[in-house]
Amino acid sequence: MKASTSPGNLSLYWQYIRIHARSGVQYKGWWMMLIQVIFVVFSDVISTLLMFDRFGNIGEWSVDRILLIYFTAVTAFGLAEVFCRGFDSFPYGMVRKGGFDRVLLRPRPLTLQVAASAFHLHRLSRPLCGLGVIAFLFGKHHVIMNPARLLMLLAALLGGFLMYAGVFILTSGISFFTIQAIDWIYIFTNAGYQVTRCPVEYMPKALYRVFTFIIPVLVISYYPMSAICGWGEPMWKGWLPLPVGAGFLLASWLVWKFGVKHYKSTGS
């Protein structure tokens, strides 16, 4: 891990990203994909908006409270999807097709090469939309963003990014043994943030435990928003996302390293 974060390796990572970005904008319709992602992001919450419009608040839970938690998770997921996209496509693109053999021959950290192997500029729409909604709702409810709260929000997004990056890496580590992606794992990636649309107080206990103690989606979304907006959770819980996200990433990286040691080529 230390080698992959050296200045030279980080510079190489950004060179990869720039190349992918410049390649992507060569397609004349790339901006249409930006619009498509924006449409997907906002269409996802239409059902929630309609439900609250029809039935009103659920106890103390308003639609704005749900959206703040939801878009915190969406923003964190979007950041991981943008900057660690290579791990998301790793099982099919590198393990099943044998492309990982080529990566192993290069004298650069494997995690860096895989993370930077894919970058789609239009995916930036998701975290940007999420940040926009969060800022709008903070302004609507007159949430005063003092330095401590702003730092807590940034730590939550960073911790969420690390957590979702860890999920992608964990998926890739498992794929060394399954040869292809296992579909149920996407419950914790593309569908994981959907659980935040359910009020925590009314969430089934089993679901709450899974998304708090196993895949800590609620830790990186509900707790910091509750602390920032004053919904009852203590302030110290608002600082949990960063250490929890970093710990989850480390555990996922260990699974990945174990998988690399047991990798057997599937290439022709």
Side-chain angles (χ1 to χ4, degrees):
M1 288 286 280
K2 291 182 179 179
S4 62
T5 56
S6 66
N9 288 327
L10 289 177
S11 176
L12 177 62
Y13 171 83
W14 289 113
Q15 288 183 39
Y16 273 121
I17 296 301
R18 284 196 296 269
I19 291 171
H20 285 305
R22 293 177 63 182
S23 175
V25 297
Q26 295 302 310
Y27 171 54
K28 293 183 179 179
W30 70 271
W31 58 271
M32 296 180 65
M33 292 188 288
L34 285 173
I35 297 174
Q36 177 191 4
V37 175
I38 293 173
F39 176 79
V40 170
V41 169
F42 287 110
S43 63
D44 270 351
V45 298
I46 289 177
S47 60
T48 302
L49 296 173
L50 292 176
M51 183 183 69
F52 275 88
D53 181 65
R54 176 66 178 83
F55 298 105
N57 293 353
I58 303 175
E60 295 182 353
W61 289 82
S62 66
V63 67
D64 288 348
R65 180 181 291 197
I66 293 293
L67 291 180
L68 275 171
I69 299 170
Y70 174 77
F71 277 102
T72 301
V74 167
T75 303
F77 171 78
L79 290 172
E81 186 183 41
V82 169
F83 296 108
C84 295
R85 183 68 179 174
F87 280 105
D88 191 27
S89 58
F90 177 83
Y92 180 78
M94 291 196 179
V95 173
R96 190 172 180 181
K97 291 186 174 182
F100 192 57
D101 298 354
R102 183 173 63 253
V103 174
L104 288 169
L105 296 175
R106 298 169 182 166
R108 292 292 183 177
L110 300 179
T111 50
L112 180 147
Q113 293 187 66
V114 175
S117 63
F119 175 81
H120 299 149
L121 188 62
H122 62 278
R123 299 287 179 178
L124 282 170
S125 296
R126 195 186 303 273
L128 291 177
C129 287
L131 288 173
V133 172
I134 291 171
F136 170 76
L137 292 175
F138 277 168
K140 180 180 178 181
H141 293 279
H142 308 289
V143 177
I144 300 175
M145 291 303 292
N146 55 36
R149 287 177 174 173
L150 180 59
L151 185 60
M152 182 179 291
L153 176 61
L154 294 176
L157 295 177
L158 178 57
F161 162 74
L162 295 177
M163 189 275 293
Y164 275 115
V167 175
F168 289 145
I169 293 173
L170 178 63
T171 304
S172 299
I174 294 174
S175 71
F176 284 117
F177 305 97
T178 61
I179 308 302
Q180 60 184 359
I182 44 182
D183 293 339
W184 60 264
I185 201 72
Y186 292 106
I187 295 173
F188 304 114
T189 54
N190 300 60
Y193 54 82
Q194 300 292 346
V195 74
T196 59
R197 292 195 286 173
C198 177
V200 172
E201 296 172 8
Y202 302 94
M203 190 178 295
K205 289 184 179 179
L207 195 65
Y208 174 81
R209 288 167 182 163
V210 168
F211 286 97
T212 301
F213 301 108
I214 300 178
I215 307 294
V217 175
L218 296 177
V219 175
I220 59 94
S221 57
Y222 167 67
Y223 286 134
M225 277 300 156
S226 180
I228 291 172
C229 299
W231 297 339
E233 294 292 342
M235 290 297 290
W236 67 267
K237 286 189 176 181
W239 296 106
L240 286 177
L242 190 54
V244 169
F248 186 86
L249 176 63
L250 177 60
S252 299
W253 181 75
L254 293 175
V255 174
W256 156 267
K257 292 293 290 183
F258 182 77
V260 170
K261 290 181 180 179
H262 293 81
Y263 170 70
K264 295 181 181 180
S265 177
T266 57
S268 56

